[in-house]
Amino acid sequence: MKNITQIPRQSLRAQVYDRLRSAIIHLELKPGERINDKALAEQFGVSRTPVREALKKLEDEGLIVTSPGSETVVSLIEVEQAMHAFTVVASLHGLAARLALTTLTLAHADQMTAINNEFAEALKVEDKYRAIQMDDQFHAVIIEASHNPEIMLALDRLLPKIRRLELQKFNTFDGKKSIKQHQEIISCISNDSKEQLPALIENNWLSLAEYLTEK
C-alpha cells in the first residue's frame, strides 16, 4: 500500500496517523479489514507505540473499531451516518458562501473555471481520485474566500464520514451533473448575482448526498 511505507522518526505519531487515515479514507484499508499494530509498526519501520497512539485517535474519530475481544478493524461505511454528515457539510459550505459574498471576485470565478475544467477532464478519463481532488479544490476557493479557518477544520473532521462512500460509489454520470452545477456557481459569481450562491452550493452537496445514499 502506497501510504504504508517506512517513515522518518520525526513526528512519528502524527505521520503514522496521517498515513493510516489516508489509507482508510482512500479504501486502501477496506471497511471491515483487520488491523494489526505489530504488522503496521514493521511496515512503517517504527515501534508499536506511535501506531497504537494513532489507532486510538482513529478510533475516537470512528474510522476503526476495537471489539471487547481486542480485535481491531476498519469501521464499516454507514450510509445513515454519511447522510447526517452530508447535511452538516452542505450547511458549512453554504455558510462559507455567505461569508464570502463580499470577497469573491471575477478572479475567483476564473480560478474556479480552470479547476472545473480539470474536474471534467478527470471525469472523462474516469480518474475518481483526481476528480474528487479537483472538486475539493473548487469548493476550497470559496472556503478560503470566507476567511474563517474554523469551517475548514470542521469539514476536515467530517470528511472521512463521506469520502469513503464517495469513492466506493463514484459514478462518472453523476459527476457530469456536478460540472453543470459548478458552472451555475461560477456564473453566479461572474454575473454578480451572489445572493443565490449559498443555495447553489448547498444544493450541489445535497444532490451528491442524495445520489450516494439512495438504496
Side-chain angles (χ1 to χ4, degrees), residues 48-176:
R48 294 169 77 174
T49 299
V51 173
R52 287 172 173 171
E53 291 172 343
L55 291 176
K56 178 63 173 67
K57 187 174 181 180
L58 291 166
E59 183 177 15
D60 291 342
E61 294 176 359
L63 289 177
I64 65 169
V65 177
T66 301
S67 67
S70 297
E71 181 181 70
T72 300
V73 299
V74 178
S75 64
L76 300 178
I77 297 173
E78 301 289 346
V79 174
E80 184 177 0
Q81 181 189 61
M83 189 66 231
H84 291 318
F86 261 116
T87 302
V88 180
V89 167
S91 295
L92 286 170
H93 278 283
L95 172 61
R98 284 190 288 276
L99 293 173
L101 291 180
T102 59
T103 58
L104 287 167
T105 66
L106 287 175
H108 290 107
D110 290 342
Q111 182 183 2
M112 293 167 78
T113 297
I115 294 170
N116 199 36
N117 289 339
E118 291 192 48
F119 175 62
E121 184 60 31
L123 288 173
K124 184 178 179 180
V125 299
E126 298 186 357
D127 185 345
K128 61 183 177 181
Y129 294 103
R130 180 67 173 164
I132 290 172
Q133 181 186 33
M134 289 299 100
D135 188 53
D136 284 344
Q137 287 189 22
F138 180 89
H139 291 286
V141 174
I142 293 175
I143 294 170
E144 289 172 11
S146 75
H147 299 299
N148 189 326
E150 291 298 326
I151 293 177
M152 193 65 251
L153 289 173
L155 287 170
D156 189 57
R157 288 192 292 270
L158 290 164
L159 171 68
K161 299 180 189 299
I162 65 175
R163 185 50 41 87
R164 291 193 297 164
L165 183 63
E166 194 175 0
L167 285 167
Q168 187 182 63
K169 298 189 71 174
F170 177 84
N171 182 284
T172 301
F173 177 79
D174 190 69
K176 290 177 181 176

Side-chain angles (χ1 to χ4, degrees), residues 2-19:
K2 63 184 180 183
N3 282 296
I4 301 181
T5 56
Q6 285 201 3
I7 57 179
R9 298 195 59 81
Q10 194 174 32
S11 305
L12 289 180
R13 178 177 61 179
Q15 291 186 65
V16 170
Y17 164 78
D18 287 342
R19 296 191 186 192

